[in-house]
Amino acid sequence: MADSIVPGAKIDKIAKIMRLKQKRAGFIGGDNPWIYPSSTSRKGVYVINNISSMPLKDDAISQIAYTISAIKEEMNEPANESYAEVDPGKCAFCYTCWRVCPHAAMSPDYETEEPVMKNLNEACFACGICVSVCPAGAITIKGGLEDKLKEEDSLSNSLKILCCENSARIALQKLKDKHSNDFDKIDISAVSSGGKIKVAEIIFLLRQYKKELVAVWMDDACKHFDGNKRAYRQVARACELLKAAGLDPNRVQYVKLSHAMTRVMADTISEIL
Ligand code: SF4
Ligand code: SF4
């Protein structure tokens, strides 16, 4: 906490050590010396300031109290779930990630036999910039969606079916009436139109289900005109995302059928399972 932050050698030194951004006048965080409450570009590093040319007044004290309570609140937030992780076996110690990280979350580690870069988890925003520039492919984002989706083996062999209420839902009900035992590990959600199915939902559900099937009306039968086509585009996008993440794109599948096509539905389900 600095009760008087004015440009000068001391501030320059702090800025250099903390790798904080200085503006033209030399202030940390901006040209304006009033920084209430102020966080710097580095996560968890704050500057609390009062006007240097004025004595500390009651309102300034209350503002500082407010700032401290805001910081306390932020400190009580749970630790980062996602962060970049450097594989020391691959790191070429080229400093590229250190240079590009907007949050100064990479730090050289000289404790190891060969120096390598390490991630300061608490400061990392898991933005992935370092991943995209690392020439050695040494950085991965841990604890993110990809990691969670990779826990596929821990999922039960379950299937989620997102279906159109006017077509696939009816076909599924007919099947379920006849073979209810086979539906133990199948969870069904109906939507009024395939157009309501979104890629984010498809991906999110994969944290819980091993496979997903999107089942909608056949072309030209959809009363929402192109709801089935919109659903298809979302499935295709979800598959692309899975592929890009190095995961099995076949975890999400798509079928078009009418309410009468129970055979097609049964075959599709048994193929997926
Ligand atoms: S960019 Fe990659 S190789 Fe270079 S220091 Fe960072 S982790 Fe190591
Ligand atoms: S993921 Fe983003 S915040 Fe974290 S170390 Fe890489 S560049 Fe910095």
Side-chain angles (χ1 to χ4, degrees):
M1 178 170 169
D3 63 350
S4 166
I5 294 183
V6 287
K10 204 168 153 191
I11 292 301
D12 292 348
K13 193 173 174 193
I14 292 172
K16 194 172 171 208
I17 292 169
M18 304 303 295
R19 295 171 59 203
L20 303 176
K21 199 171 177 185
Q22 281 176 286
K23 288 291 173 75
R24 256 171 310 142
F27 291 110
I28 292 174
D31 290 328
N32 187 349
W34 273 100
I35 317 174
Y36 275 130
S38 163
S39 61
T40 62
S41 59
R42 187 160 187 173
K43 200 174 175 186
V45 178
Y46 302 87
V47 176
I48 304 173
N49 191 16
N50 72 303
I51 290 185
S52 55
S53 57
M54 287 169 72
L56 208 59
K57 288 199 179 138
D58 282 355
D59 60 340
I61 290 171
S62 65
Q63 289 196 50
I64 288 176
Y66 164 73
T67 303
I68 290 172
S69 70
I71 292 170
K72 269 190 180 166
E73 213 167 279
E74 197 171 304
M75 286 173 79
N76 282 334
E77 282 176 12
N80 279 354
E81 249 193 54
S82 306
Y83 53 89
E85 188 177 76
V86 178
D87 180 344
K90 289 185 181 169
C91 177
F93 204 47
C94 65
Y95 271 79
T96 306
C97 57
W98 183 86
R99 279 195 296 272
V100 301
C101 176
H103 304 289
M106 286 295 186
S107 175
D109 182 2
Y110 295 102
E111 308 268 295
T112 49
E113 205 174 310
E114 291 285 325
V116 286
M117 203 56 76
K118 72 171 178 195
N119 181 255
L120 306 171
N121 299 358
E122 295 300 326
C124 178
F125 278 80
C127 66
I129 294 174
C130 55
V131 179
S132 61
V133 297
C134 173
I139 311 172
T140 44
I141 300 292
K142 305 305 287 182
L145 180 62
E146 289 174 23
D147 243 25
K148 291 200 165 78
L149 294 182
K150 275 178 182 153
E151 290 163 8
E152 182 187 356
D153 289 346
S154 66
L155 299 176
S156 59
N157 187 18
S158 55
L159 170 66
K160 177 76 176 179
I161 304 180
L162 295 171
C163 58
C164 165
E165 65 181 4
N166 301 311
S167 58
R169 179 76 188 92
I170 298 170
L172 276 164
Q173 192 56 53
K174 288 179 190 165
L175 277 179
K176 206 172 171 184
D177 291 344
K178 277 194 197 164
H179 314 279
S180 56
N181 289 345
D182 296 345
F183 276 75
D184 279 357
K185 289 181 175 174
I186 300 176
D187 195 8
I188 301 164
S189 293
V191 290
S192 56
S193 160
K196 289 192 184 298
I197 298 169
K198 299 286 174 246
V199 64
E201 181 189 14
I202 295 173
I203 295 288
F204 184 79
L205 286 168
L206 287 175
R207 292 165 75 160
Q208 201 182 333
Y209 298 93
K210 199 162 186 173
K211 302 265 176 132
E212 258 180 273
L213 172 65
V214 172
V216 289
W217 265 114
M218 299 159 71
D219 287 349
D220 302 325
C222 175
K223 75 173 179 180
H224 295 281
F225 185 57
D226 65 349
N228 60 346
K229 294 188 183 105
R230 278 185 279 152
Y232 174 72
R233 286 196 289 273
Q234 300 296 307
V235 170
R237 180 78 187 117
C239 293
E240 276 169 21
L241 288 171
L242 290 173
K243 210 168 161 191
L247 302 169
D248 178 9
N250 293 323
R251 285 179 70 188
V252 183
Q253 305 215 8
Y254 174 85
V255 65
K256 288 187 284 189
L257 37 70
S258 78
H259 59 287
M261 295 165 71
T262 49
R263 190 69 256 159
V264 174
M265 181 56 95
D267 289 349
T268 308
I269 291 174
S270 58
E271 236 174 74
I272 292 173
L273 292 179

